[in-house]
Amino acid sequence: MTPPHQPIDLSGRAKFRLSGPDAERYLNGQVSNRVGLATAENAITACVCNVKGKLEGVVFVSRPADREDAFLVDAPAELRESLLMRLDRYLIADDCAWEDVTDDFALVHAIGEAAPSIDLPGATWKQANRFGAPGHDLWLTRDSLSQVSEAGGGLLEETAPEVEAFRILRAVPRWDAELTPDTLPAEAGLDKTAIDFHKGCYLGQEVISRIESVGRVNRSLVPLAILEGNVSAGDDLFPAETDEDAKPAGRITSLTNDQRLALGYVKRDWTAPQTKLVTRDAEGKVTVGNLEVRKIE
């Protein structure tokens, strides 16, 4: 599947700015990735966790071009209040401060190596991998959004079918679908993209490092091909070759509009590509849908 050609409008995401002399040191103690890797030209992914190593948010971090002592952070829209409170909670004697800039900026993402050419003062594309493929982010004032739309041939909504299909194919988790406060980062594959296991301490590091040393989690997020039948997000998944008394092996979390692809959490014994799974009726006896685990592309 080829990625969407038009840029994606992510302006609805929550956006924060952290600035001050202690900004880098403080943020490094709050997120799972090394924030020194975030620059004006490159955005990184990071997890915000609680002391049990479970997610309180997944963010993208970069720097503004005009300030060396500041960071730009964006997160799912539904976390605007709770995540800002969480990030601000441990600011005590640190010489830095958070500011909610959600309403001040628009945010656009273009999937691919090249980004549309624009001529906006102070607006530059920065590398960012948001959909399991190389791409570029652009922070800009909201009144400049129309110019980016014209340069890119229009903008897609984050929930557009082609965007959602590409996300599911690449097994990129979304908050309130694959990601919740009960999720461990490694279950969603975030240990491969959003965690630096060699950086200094941060909240939840002890649990996350322990999981890394064990080398496995009890369940993993996998893409699923829907071979036949109608399935829905929330349906339990069962091994195809088991009796009616078998316990669920996983659950569907997202699926494409055309009912061809899905995402789901599957227990580790059933995550190998080409593993056959089924969904069942309310009584758990009749097979409703047939699915197959696919390799992440």
Side-chain angles (χ1 to χ4, degrees), residues 121-185:
T124 56
W125 292 95
K126 58 189 69 182
Q127 294 182 11
N129 189 320
R130 289 181 181 265
F131 293 92
H136 295 80
D137 281 352
L138 181 68
W139 285 64
L140 67 161
T141 58
R142 287 188 175 269
D143 57 5
S144 300
L145 193 59
S146 60
Q147 297 181 53
V148 180
S149 178
E150 293 173 3
L155 298 176
L156 293 171
E157 296 294 328
E158 186 176 4
T159 55
E162 57 265 53
V163 177
E164 185 70 350
F166 191 74
R167 178 188 76 83
I168 290 172
L169 179 69
R170 310 289 288 196
V172 175
R174 175 171 58 83
W175 195 264
D176 269 353
E178 291 74 37
L179 303 178
T180 73
D182 288 324
T183 306
L184 292 165

Side-chain angles (χ1 to χ4, degrees), residues 260-282:
R260 295 179 61 187
L261 292 171
L263 270 181
Y265 281 106
V266 178
K267 293 180 181 179
R268 64 171 179 258
D269 291 340
W270 309 100
T271 57
Q274 301 184 345
T275 298
K276 300 295 193 296
L277 300 167
V278 300
T279 60
R280 295 178 177 172
D281 64 5

Side-chain angles (χ1 to χ4, degrees), residues 18 42 53 92 99 112-113 116 133 179 186 241 244 284:
L18 176 67
N42 183 65
I92 301 175
E99 180 183 3
E113 295 291 349
L179 303 178
E241 304 298 331
E244 296 175 359

Side-chain angles (χ1 to χ4, degrees), residues 2-197:
T2 58
H5 296 296
Q6 295 167 277
I8 302 163
D9 186 3
L10 302 179
S11 300
R13 288 177 64 84
K15 307 174 201 69
F16 313 122
R17 180 166 52 209
L18 176 67
S19 56
D22 294 338
E24 181 169 339
R25 186 195 61 77
Y26 176 75
L27 190 56
N28 240 343
Q30 301 302 311
V31 303
S32 62
N33 212 341
R34 190 182 301 272
V35 299
L37 300 175
T39 67
E41 297 79 29
N42 183 65
I44 64 168
T45 323
C47 300
V48 181
C49 300
N50 61 22
V51 293
K52 297 181 179 180
K54 294 188 175 182
L55 289 175
E56 294 189 312
V58 177
V59 300
F60 280 79
V61 183
S62 63
R63 291 182 185 264
D66 58 347
R67 288 196 62 172
E68 294 184 356
D69 66 342
F71 290 90
L72 298 172
V73 177
D74 68 270
E78 51 266 53
L79 299 181
R80 181 176 178 179
E81 293 185 9
S82 63
L83 186 58
L84 185 58
M85 290 177 61
R86 156 65 177 83
L87 290 169
D88 190 61
R89 184 182 308 152
Y90 298 95
L91 261 179
I92 301 175
D94 304 274
D95 190 5
C96 54
W98 286 101
E99 180 183 3
D100 186 336
V101 295
T102 301
D103 299 329
D104 299 330
F105 290 97
L107 175 60
V108 174
H109 180 77
I111 300 176
E113 295 291 349
S117 177
I118 57 169
D119 184 18
L120 294 171
T124 56
W125 292 95
K126 58 189 69 182
Q127 294 182 11
N129 189 320
R130 289 181 181 265
F131 293 92
H136 295 80
D137 281 352
L138 181 68
W139 285 64
L140 67 161
T141 58
R142 287 188 175 269
D143 57 5
S144 300
L145 193 59
S146 60
Q147 297 181 53
V148 180
S149 178
E150 293 173 3
L155 298 176
L156 293 171
E157 296 294 328
E158 186 176 4
T159 55
E162 57 265 53
V163 177
E164 185 70 350
F166 191 74
R167 178 188 76 83
I168 290 172
L169 179 69
R170 310 289 288 196
V172 175
R174 175 171 58 83
W175 195 264
D176 269 353
E178 291 74 37
L179 303 178
T180 73
D182 288 324
T183 306
L184 292 165
E187 294 175 331
L190 294 170
D191 54 326
K192 301 176 180 67
T193 60
I195 295 175
D196 185 331
F197 289 99

